[in-house]
Amino acid sequence: MSSSTNSFKTDDTPAIKKVVIVGGGTAGWMTAAGLCSVLAPLNLDITLVESEAIGTVGVGEATLPHIRFFNRKLGIDENALMKATKATYKLGIEFRDWGKIGDSYIHPFGDFGFPINRCGFHHYLSRAHKMGLPSHLDQYSVPVMAARNAKFQPPHSDTENVLSTFGYAYQFDAGLYANFLRKFCENRGVTRIEGRINEVSQNKESGEIECVILENGESLTGDFFVDCSGFRGLLISQTLNVPYRNWTEHLPCDRAVVAACSAAGPELPYTRATAKSSGWQWRIPLQHRVGNGYVYCSEFISDQEAERSMLGDLEAPPNSEPKRLRFTTGQRQKSWVKNCVAIGLSGGFLEPLESTGIYLIQEAITNLIEMFPTQTSYDVDRKEYNRLMDIEFERVRDFLLLHYVATTRSDSPFWRHLTSMDLPASLKHKMDLFKSTGRVVSYEIGAFKKPSWLSVYFGQNIIPKGVDPLSLHMPDSVLPEQLNSVAKTVSNAVALMSGHGAYIDQECRAE
Ligand code: FAD
């Protein structure tokens, strides 16, 4: 047999049979679920190790609409998941006090208005602004008006219907989501091992990971390892020494203090992010509690002061002791190195302003599944995976940063620091383009497409100088009437929607 035939045969043999996932937080169980279901035809032997004594990070309640596609791919029934995780529906995020104190806007999962004469709706709104007409985006968006009125029902399937112009996500208990996925995985043959890993053994020549060794001496070998061990990065950092790209220079918040409380009013179908003197505070309503957390920059406020401020802004007394967390915003320089890929907090963390933690986990799993090695040598798969993750992280970083710099706030050292810092070139270009022409650098895939950027620009009072010339076909005299008619269509449609609480009662209220 010639050597070329031999190498063809070798390359054609499935490279990976045995996968070891280190960590059973949201990242670990989502990865196990993705691999055991989508890659079921490969008959992988999947083992997940987690340590109850170490525990999970225990935060992460708000999601992006992409999670629905992930769950759907796995064949998970939405109502069963909502019940099991005590979830509410999420139509977007309300940002309070960001552009300036007193402002409020919602970044929705959906469109604003409709293109008129093939020209984006927001160009007409820019014109309205210049004419001194009311130009807040809210009234032209179904999900925003539904959120403001505590309404919810799934989008209409007829794309001609204005009630089809939005998406939605969940606000859920991420711990319960991990439990739900654990059952899903165990039913599909994933082995769970409880125990603390004390040692990691590498091949002396290649440096590839060969096995992890537990406290009780048990050793788990694998062809491929997924590091879902959280911030500590047991494999990717502590074993493979892959450096971390620290983005605190751009996104300086590095701590959070969190506590849950009871809801003082009806369940709202949106998350709230209120800007504060040294960071911002979230409010995430679930069926059984409201999650709250102050994300702050330790350079500008002490832990004690941040905790007092967070507790002072709760709508009801906390249900548990406040919990403090530390983090460094950034990304692993390469999340896939040798035979190990880092997914979740071990691969990087961007602060939770736009609920991107679980989204980035999902993107990592999707990319891993697409690049899953089919040959014994997989340099190109690895390279492509790392390239895709870099794009994703950078895009999210720029979008988060936009919220901090599109502001006129200068009322505290934190805000003065943010508004005086240099921007990454990629964001500077996006903002320059919008400010002068009203055009948005938009992406075909991934999160945060055009409406997301528009909501922050307009919501934080950045109105472009120029407009698309196509919008000029409409005379000034008819513009107000046109805008009113769109607002009316939206409000009439929203009036027909169910109440959010009533919809949960009907479909998925936990017992
Ligand atoms: P972890 O939850 O830390 O899990 C690590 C796992 O590794 C655990 O099971 C642990 O037992 C195991 N482990 C570690 N070391 C060992 C060892 N030696 N031996 C055995 N097992 C080990 N994301 C969102 O999408 N929405 C949000 O609203 C949101 N809010 C957030 C707020 C804050 C303040 C923070 C910090 C994060 C937030 N996130 C949010 C991100 C989200 O929490 C995480 O992305 C998600 O929980 C995934 O965590 P993980 O599974 O990577 O790590």
Side-chain angles (χ1 to χ4, degrees):
M1 208 181 276
S2 74
S3 63
S4 65
T5 323
N6 252 339
S7 68
F8 177 77
K9 276 205 160 158
T10 313
D11 276 359
D12 232 19
T13 316
I16 292 168
K17 293 206 176 83
K18 197 162 182 212
V19 178
V20 176
I21 298 170
V22 172
T26 319
W29 284 113
M30 282 180 77
T31 304
L35 297 186
C36 76
S37 58
V38 183
L39 295 185
L42 299 186
N43 279 322
L44 296 170
D45 172 348
I46 304 171
T47 301
L48 182 147
V49 198
E50 64 177 318
S51 157
E52 269 170 27
I54 293 176
T56 62
V57 69
V59 276
E61 298 171 324
T63 62
L64 295 184
H66 307 70
I67 193 164
R68 289 171 36 228
F69 307 115
F70 181 79
N71 291 333
R72 201 178 295 158
K73 221 185 235 177
L74 267 50
I76 289 173
D77 174 73
E78 177 170 89
N79 286 351
L81 177 81
M82 297 274 305
K83 250 186 210 173
T85 59
K86 304 190 176 174
T88 57
Y89 296 96
K90 176 181 171 190
L91 291 166
I93 303 178
E94 182 195 15
F95 288 90
R96 284 191 177 175
D97 298 337
W98 283 83
K100 61 180 178 345
I101 292 175
D103 279 357
S104 159
Y105 69 94
I106 289 186
H107 164 202
F109 303 134
D111 294 332
F112 294 99
F114 330 101
I116 304 172
N117 200 30
R118 289 199 217 128
C119 175
F121 183 76
H122 71 281
H123 291 287
Y124 298 95
L125 218 57
S126 298
R127 284 185 54 198
H129 183 85
K130 287 182 186 91
M131 288 164 65
L133 300 170
S135 53
H136 206 290
L137 273 177
D138 277 12
Q139 56 191 314
Y140 307 108
S141 157
V142 170
V144 174
M145 295 311 285
R148 294 266 187 223
N149 290 287
K151 300 265 190 155
F152 180 81
Q153 72 189 40
H156 206 285
S157 55
D158 173 5
T159 52
E160 295 294 308
N161 189 312
V162 68
L163 288 176
S164 71
T165 57
F166 64 97
Y168 65 94
Y170 314 122
Q171 303 170 132
F172 64 16
D173 181 327
L176 296 177
Y177 182 50
N179 291 348
F180 184 91
L181 291 180
R182 175 178 161 186
K183 278 189 208 123
F184 175 93
C185 293
E186 288 179 332
N187 287 339
R188 284 161 184 77
V190 173
T191 307
R192 173 189 179 270
I193 293 186
E194 164 62 34
R196 181 192 285 260
I197 296 166
N198 268 353
E199 209 183 315
V200 182
S201 165
Q202 289 170 273
N203 181 290
K204 289 206 172 55
E205 274 161 34
S206 65
E208 299 224 330
I209 295 174
E210 288 182 332
C211 68
V212 293
I213 302 158
L214 304 185
E215 210 166 31
N216 64 6
E218 189 183 351
S219 134
L220 300 171
T221 55
D223 306 312
F224 195 79
F225 290 79
V226 189
D227 185 349
C228 298
S229 65
F231 285 128
R232 55 179 57 74
L234 188 67
L235 308 182
I236 198 81
S237 173
Q238 294 180 11
T239 307
L240 296 168
N241 300 314
V242 180
Y244 195 72
R245 283 186 191 126
N246 183 329
W247 283 340
T248 339
E249 169 199 357
H250 299 305
L251 291 167
C253 288
D254 56 355
R255 293 193 190 175
V257 53
V258 308
C261 67
S262 304
E267 288 149 335
L268 298 177
Y270 60 92
T271 293
R272 180 176 295 145
T274 306
K276 300 184 48 148
S277 70
S278 303
W280 61 277
Q281 181 151 336
W282 79 69
R283 177 190 187 276
I284 306 177
L286 276 58
Q287 287 187 25
H288 58 311
R289 64 166 195 235
V290 174
N292 307 276
Y294 186 2
V295 173
Y296 57 96
C297 176
S298 60
E299 212 181 304
F300 298 104
I301 190 170
S302 70
D303 293 339
Q304 294 73 11
E305 223 181 309
E307 184 173 314
R308 257 197 310 278
S309 167
M310 187 272 293
L311 292 173
D313 285 344
L314 296 190
E315 63 211 69
N319 294 341
S320 56
E321 275 300 298
K323 180 173 160 182
R324 291 182 189 162
L325 295 149
R326 293 174 176 215
F327 54 83
T328 307
T329 288
Q331 186 203 2
R332 195 65 56 194
Q333 230 167 56
K334 284 195 172 98
S335 21
W336 183 348
V337 169
K338 302 190 187 292
N339 62 339
C340 171
V341 63
I343 296 184
L345 299 172
S346 58
F349 177 61
L350 295 171
E351 59 140 293
L353 184 58
E354 282 280 356
S355 323
T356 45
I358 292 172
Y359 164 75
L360 287 167
I361 291 170
Q362 185 187 329
E363 284 302 292
I365 297 167
T366 307
N367 289 335
L368 177 61
I369 287 171
E370 292 210 350
M371 299 295 137
F372 201 78
T374 51
Q375 301 179 328
T376 43
S377 140
Y378 44 82
D379 281 357
V380 279
D381 304 301
R382 199 161 39 203
K383 204 167 167 186
E384 178 59 5
Y385 176 92
N386 286 329
R387 188 186 73 84
L388 292 172
M389 291 314 294
D390 284 355
I391 293 173
E392 207 60 59
F393 266 82
E394 188 179 292
R395 184 210 322 231
V396 174
R397 179 202 63 191
D398 281 3
F399 187 56
L400 298 185
L401 187 48
L402 175 68
H403 299 67
Y404 285 106
V405 298
T407 184
T408 50
R409 284 191 68 157
S410 60
D411 49 285
S412 68
F414 173 75
W415 288 102
R416 288 194 288 279
H417 167 75
L418 283 158
T419 46
S420 64
M421 73 188 178
D422 289 334
L423 298 186
S426 50
L427 177 60
K428 187 168 179 322
H429 166 69
K430 288 170 194 148
M431 291 184 73
D432 287 348
L433 180 73
F434 183 75
K435 282 180 183 168
S436 74
T437 67
R439 297 201 164 99
V440 178
V441 173
S442 130
Y443 308 88
E444 291 302 314
I445 51 160
F448 309 134
K449 301 200 180 67
K450 207 179 254 186
S452 298
W453 287 79
L454 288 175
S455 70
V456 181
Y457 284 132
F458 276 85
Q460 298 191 195
N461 316 309
I462 300 209
I463 310 295
K465 275 202 200 84
V467 292
D468 189 318
L470 277 178
S471 74
L472 299 172
H473 76 97
M474 188 187 289
D476 282 357
S477 55
V478 289
L479 192 61
E481 189 190 311
Q482 283 280 340
L483 295 180
N484 278 341
S485 128
V486 174
K488 198 140 202 235
T489 306
V490 168
S491 71
N492 287 345
V494 168
L496 299 174
M497 289 172 76
S498 316
H500 178 230
Y503 190 82
I504 292 177
D505 285 344
Q506 184 191 309
E507 300 290 333
C508 55
R509 174 77 60 196
E511 275 93 41

